[in-house]
Amino acid sequence: MRILVVEDQKDLNEIIVRKLTQEHYSVDACFAGDEALDFIRCAEYDGVILDIMLPGITGLGVLKEMRSSGNKTPVLLLTALGTVDDRVAGLDAGADDYLVKPFDFDELLARVRAIVRRGGERASSVITSGDLTLDSASRQVQRAGEELSLTGKEFDILEYLMQNEGKVLSRDKLSNHIWNYDYDGGSNVIDVYVCHLRRKVDDGHDEKKIITVKGAGYMVK
């Protein structure tokens, strides 16, 4: 899961990024509205945490630009503006949720999980494909009732593949979704991770879930 944090208070920005990273999200961060639009135009995010009072383009301006361009990425407005009129304005502009500062980080994380599920049109944190089950909340994976031990990135790749069951995802799409802009890995890193993941998921099973589509990428079938 890849999240963009747009918050002009540097200390708070860094804390949010750290908390999200600890929860295994891939996180990009910026401090101004125009920067946010550049990030959003160049990458695909599962959610955006967006302050309203930003230098230059305001958070509402960013949100309105996203929605007018057809970008449906879930947005959580995080702001000190807490009146009913402020909340109504934010939700009417297209926000999926609204959280007022000061806030509890556990609540923030819960709200992020909720908007990400809604963005994927899922009411539950559990994704199932045949006898393969993944729980994004507990980060547990089972195949035929047996729990699988995955690394953080293996889990992230499998989650993204299962969210797009039946669709072929290119190596570039997987890489851009799983890692943030700071990542500087080799070109074959996705192949290496998928190779390890396939062994854990498919070895010992007649039905193979992770499929390589030659010249195109990978999919969960």
Side-chain angles (χ1 to χ4, degrees):
M1 293 288 183
R2 189 171 180 180
I3 304 292
L4 175 64
V5 176
V6 190
E7 167 59 60
D8 65 334
Q9 296 180 46
K10 185 176 180 181
D11 290 346
L12 180 57
N13 191 311
E14 291 176 350
I15 293 171
I16 295 172
V17 169
R18 184 168 67 249
K19 292 285 187 180
L20 289 170
T21 302
Q22 289 171 351
E23 294 296 314
H24 307 285
Y25 291 99
S26 176
V27 187
D28 292 314
C30 60
F31 305 94
D34 55 346
E35 292 178 308
L37 288 174
D38 287 340
F39 273 89
I40 291 163
R41 292 180 185 121
C42 295
E44 178 183 316
Y45 292 100
D46 294 288
V48 177
I49 298 175
L50 181 63
D51 188 13
I52 291 180
M53 294 184 292
L54 296 170
I57 303 172
T58 67
L60 290 183
V62 172
L63 179 56
K64 290 175 181 177
E65 174 65 23
M66 289 175 63
R67 299 307 187 232
S68 66
S69 66
N71 189 318
K72 298 180 181 179
T73 302
V75 172
L76 167 63
L77 289 177
L78 185 66
T79 176
L81 302 175
T83 69
V84 172
D85 287 344
D86 291 326
R87 294 171 188 266
V88 169
L91 295 171
D92 281 348
D96 297 86
D97 202 354
Y98 197 108
L99 185 59
V100 178
K101 303 173 186 175
F103 58 90
D104 184 273
F105 277 101
D106 286 339
E107 182 180 3
L108 172 64
L109 294 172
R111 287 174 180 264
V112 169
R113 290 192 295 269
I115 66 168
V116 166
R117 285 199 303 272
R118 289 201 295 272
E121 299 181 350
R122 292 186 290 118
S124 169
S125 63
V126 177
I127 311 172
T128 301
S129 175
D131 63 354
L132 180 63
T133 302
L134 178 148
D135 189 331
S136 59
S138 65
R139 294 186 68 84
Q140 292 181 326
V141 178
Q142 292 186 344
R143 179 81 194 264
E146 180 182 350
E147 188 165 342
L148 307 181
S149 178
L150 305 184
T151 67
K153 290 304 181 188
E154 288 169 354
F155 182 95
D156 294 340
I157 291 170
L158 181 61
E159 181 181 35
Y160 192 37
L161 288 169
M162 291 182 70
Q163 287 172 343
N164 293 275
E165 182 180 19
K167 298 178 183 178
V168 180
L169 301 181
S170 69
R171 291 167 178 82
D172 284 345
K173 193 171 184 66
L174 283 164
S175 180
N176 289 338
H177 189 86
I178 302 301
W179 280 274
N180 60 21
Y181 280 113
D182 294 332
Y183 176 71
D184 189 25
S187 60
N188 70 334
V189 67
I190 291 295
D191 297 328
V192 172
Y193 273 106
V194 171
C195 180
H196 292 164
L197 182 60
R198 180 182 282 123
R199 290 174 187 161
K200 295 180 180 181
V201 170
D202 285 339
D203 279 4
H205 297 273
D206 292 334
E207 181 187 8
K208 306 306 179 185
K209 298 299 297 180
I210 300 176
I211 307 300
T212 300
V213 181
K214 190 173 180 180
Y218 300 100
M219 65 183 290
V220 162
K221 184 177 180 181

